[in-house]
Amino acid sequence: MNDAQTETRDLLILGGGLVGMTLALAAAKQGMSSHVIDRADPAELTREGFDDRATAISTASWHLFTNIGIAERLEPFACDIASIAVTDQNKPGRLDFTPGPDEGTLGRMFPNRRLRLALFEAAAEEPLINWVAKAEIAERQRSEFGVAAVLEDGRKLKGRLMIAAEGRGSPTREEAGITIAKWDYEHRAIIAGLTHSKPHHNVAWEIFYPAGPFALLPLDDDADGTHRSSLVWTVSEEDGNAVMKLGDRAFLAEVQKRMGDVLGEVTSVGARSSWPLGFHHTAKITGERLALVGDAAHGIHPIAGQGLNLGLRDVGALVEVLADGARIGLDLGDAQLLKRYENWRGLDSFMVALATDGLTRLFGVPGAAASAARRIGMSAVQRTPALKGFFMDEARGVSGDLPELLKV
């Protein structure tokens, strides 16, 4: 084994997805070394057409990408979100969130493939990151003296702090016995790329139906000027299979019916994928020499597009806490440092999770009376600048106690 494999590094990051790899890069900028272990094949994750999903990156998350040096690689693929339009079933009483001229955008849309490529390229160039891909973990070890992961091929990678970044089904979280509250929404998100006749003018649409939200997120035009958006359509679990089995023409007709004329005529639809929706939140996000980040700690409804941004706030907070500790000579697995991370992120992520869950339930109440009540509420927000400002700050991710890495 080479020296990188045998040395004890500062962090042992289990999971090298968008959150895990951002964490490794952010830690490296603060002089912290890491082993990043991931079971996936990076070539598979970045191949053309693998994943039609796109992600909204908030203003605060963009500051993080700038501060860790990947914003330049991503900038050519950004599609600004200039405003968000919210409607209840496309009825009158629309709510618009449009920032003032000096306030910038509400975020940027990126294809997931481009986010992965930028992170993976930067990680491959960073000597403080030992990236072990296509690896299965046979055993996780934590003690008062350090942490280790034994791989199925017999290699043993050691660190001072173990970080679970494996996503919703985190085996590290399960093995640590951390209690989790969760429920299934019994809904699925159908995701597909659309082309359409009218330009989107950088508006993200959130159209609420009793079965769930129907979101249209702006993407850059194709090279030939074709207008594109990303569709995230929430359907009930029992309808999910039927919708996935529809032929392209029938699917396109269903989409057109729900979006009305907001983007003109839908001209084509890309490959469809479907994802089960659920809520989960852990009772705590730390253990002995262990910290949870991203979906390993909290999973929320995609209604507000905040899932990844919430994970990136975890990254900024954890790196700041660890860097502060390292400066005064503390062990990175120190219980006081982990308690500071727990206190900082536990409440914020829970409040966001609760808000998105409440929103999902509020807009899911069927019937004309409920729809009328929602539209009265929306028109009240539309007329109240302070409330609109609050919601826009939440969307940008700039409210609350922000980590330094997520500031300009």
Side-chain angles (χ1 to χ4, degrees), residues 263-277:
L263 295 175
E265 185 191 344
V266 183
T267 48
S268 74
V269 57
R272 277 169 260 165
S273 58
S274 125
W275 305 81
L277 299 180

Side-chain angles (χ1 to χ4, degrees), residues 7 26 48 89 97 112 136 160 165-167 181 200 234 284 309 350 394:
E7 70 173 292
E48 193 76 62
Q89 304 169 66
F97 295 104
N112 282 12
E136 292 288 346
R160 293 178 179 84
E166 307 119 322
H200 50 57
T234 303
K284 55 180 190 162
N309 294 302
F350 185 61
E394 287 293 323

Side-chain angles (χ1 to χ4, degrees), residues 272-340:
R272 277 169 260 165
S273 58
S274 125
W275 305 81
L277 299 180
F279 170 101
H280 71 260
H281 206 281
T282 55
K284 55 180 190 162
I285 55 171
T286 57
E288 183 183 38
R289 288 192 181 271
L290 174 67
L292 273 53
V293 293
D295 282 357
H298 38 71
I300 62 174
H301 196 287
I303 193 169
Q306 289 302 316
L308 176 61
N309 294 302
L310 206 51
L312 296 179
R313 282 170 87 117
D314 295 343
V315 166
L318 183 57
V319 168
E320 185 171 322
V321 164
L322 296 177
D324 286 351
R327 267 193 290 277
I328 56 172
L330 289 178
D331 181 328
L332 293 183
D334 183 86
Q336 286 305 309
L337 286 184
L338 294 179
K339 188 172 190 314
R340 187 182 157 208

